[in-house]
């Protein structure tokens, strides 16, 4: 049995998806994060024969859609994240998942790729069964999934610079440096910025994430249209040249 390990922050306004602001405000960014997490939990739950584990940071009781998230986590093993930085937290989560399910391979993903589905995750689990590790590259140069037959190998992540354009390549090099065979998973886009969120929602239109993005995007579009109408209705003032030379445009 493979452990499917989800790394997630509690979707609390102001603490999650801050790169979506602007154009979003913290409440809407947290709503997008909550929808992404719920879709990810659904995808994991639909994969047969795996042990679902959530390594979480932040107070779930204060999260947007907290009751739904708690309900979706029924039967999951919950682990608190620990560590000073992302590399530490990732390595510790693999170790803690191994302690909960000794001797099992671990496939880890985050909450930034709500387009994942059970078929994709099932294929990743199957790929891991035939090699030492699998790595799913992200379009921004990072990675969205890491699978390890021996979760202790995740210690290499402590020395990998995270959230850079070369994080994916550096992670693969660190794994290969341990003599591991590393299989490749499909590349996905991480949802960190609003244009990416809109694109992912269009490509994967089912689910809570796409619905949340569509609703928010309609509101943003309506607000922009209202601003344009307001500007169009204002009396015309002096042009920039006239204002600069005291009304004598030349």
């Amino acid at each position: 049995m493979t452990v499917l390990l989800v790394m997630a922050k509690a979707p609390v306004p102001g603490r999650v998806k801050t790169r979506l602001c602007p154009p979003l405000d913290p409440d809407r960014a947290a709503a997008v994060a909550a929808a992404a997490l719920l879709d990810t939990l659904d995808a994991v739950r639909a994969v047969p024969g795996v042990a679902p584990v959530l390594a979480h940071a932040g107070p779930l009781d204060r999260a947007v859609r907290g009751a739904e998230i708690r309900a979706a986590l029924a039967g999951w093993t919950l682990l608190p994240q620990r560590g000073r930085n992302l590399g530490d937290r990732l390595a510790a989560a693999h170790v803690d998942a191994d302690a909960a399910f000794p001797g099992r391979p671990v496939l880890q993903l985050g909450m930034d790729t709500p387009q994942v589905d059970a078929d994709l995750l099932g294929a990743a689990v199957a790929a891991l069964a035939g090699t030492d590790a699998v790595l799913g590259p992200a379009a921004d140069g990072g990675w969205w999934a890491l699978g390890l037959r021996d979760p202790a190998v995740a210690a290499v992540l402590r020395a990998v610079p995270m959230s850079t354009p070369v994080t994916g390549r550096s992670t693969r090099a660190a794994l290969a440096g341990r003599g591991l065979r590393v299989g490749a998973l499909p590349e996905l886009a991480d949802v960190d910025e609003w244009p990416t969120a809109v694109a992912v929602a269009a490509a994967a239109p089912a689910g809570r994430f796409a619905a949340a993005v569509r609703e928010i995007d309609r509101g943003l579009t309506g607000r922009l249209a209202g601003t344009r109408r307001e500007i169009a209705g204002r009396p015309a003032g002096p042009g920039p040249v006239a204002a600069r030379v005291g009304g004598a445009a030349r």
Side-chain angles (χ1 to χ4, degrees):
M1 178 188 297
T2 297
V3 175
L4 266 180
L5 169 65
V6 178
M7 297 282 293
K9 289 182 180 179
V12 176
R15 296 190 178 186
V16 68
K17 289 296 173 198
T18 55
R19 289 173 61 185
L20 296 178
C21 305
L24 274 55
D25 58 31
D27 289 335
R28 289 183 175 87
V32 169
L37 176 56
L38 285 163
D39 281 355
T40 303
L41 299 180
D42 282 351
V44 171
R45 183 183 291 277
V47 180
V50 299
V53 175
L54 177 74
H56 61 92
L60 290 174
D61 58 332
R62 293 171 49 197
V64 173
R65 302 177 77 164
E68 285 182 72
I69 293 170
R70 283 290 187 186
L73 289 170
W76 285 57
T77 298
L78 304 185
L79 303 171
Q81 291 185 24
R82 55 188 181 88
R84 295 171 299 173
N85 54 46
L86 180 55
D88 286 346
R89 294 196 299 272
L90 289 167
H94 280 261
V95 170
D96 293 345
D98 186 46
F101 297 92
R104 303 294 186 182
V106 174
L107 177 68
Q108 176 258 313
L109 68 157
M111 56 187 284
D112 297 333
T113 49
Q115 67 269 48
V116 299
D117 58 22
D119 290 341
L120 177 57
L121 293 178
V125 168
L128 181 56
T131 190
D132 301 316
V134 293
L135 189 66
D140 62 2
W143 50 266
W144 66 271
L146 170 65
L148 296 170
R149 293 289 297 276
D150 178 5
V153 175
V156 302
L157 299 175
R158 300 183 191 275
V160 174
M162 294 292 163
S163 303
T164 77
V166 296
T167 294
R169 282 185 289 167
S170 298
T171 301
R172 175 175 286 275
L175 296 171
R178 292 286 298 266
L180 303 184
R181 299 168 298 154
V182 185
L185 301 178
E187 180 180 289
L188 295 181
D190 276 343
V191 174
D192 288 321
E193 298 179 349
W194 186 242
T196 307
V198 173
V200 168
R208 300 173 180 87
F209 175 79
V213 169
R214 284 194 298 267
E215 180 179 356
I216 292 170
D217 199 43
R218 283 195 296 267
L220 293 175
T221 302
R223 187 173 66 190
L224 180 60
T227 301
R228 286 172 175 164
R229 285 194 298 270
E230 180 184 351
I231 293 172
R234 293 174 183 169
V241 175
R244 187 166 58 249
V245 296
R250 11 175 188 182

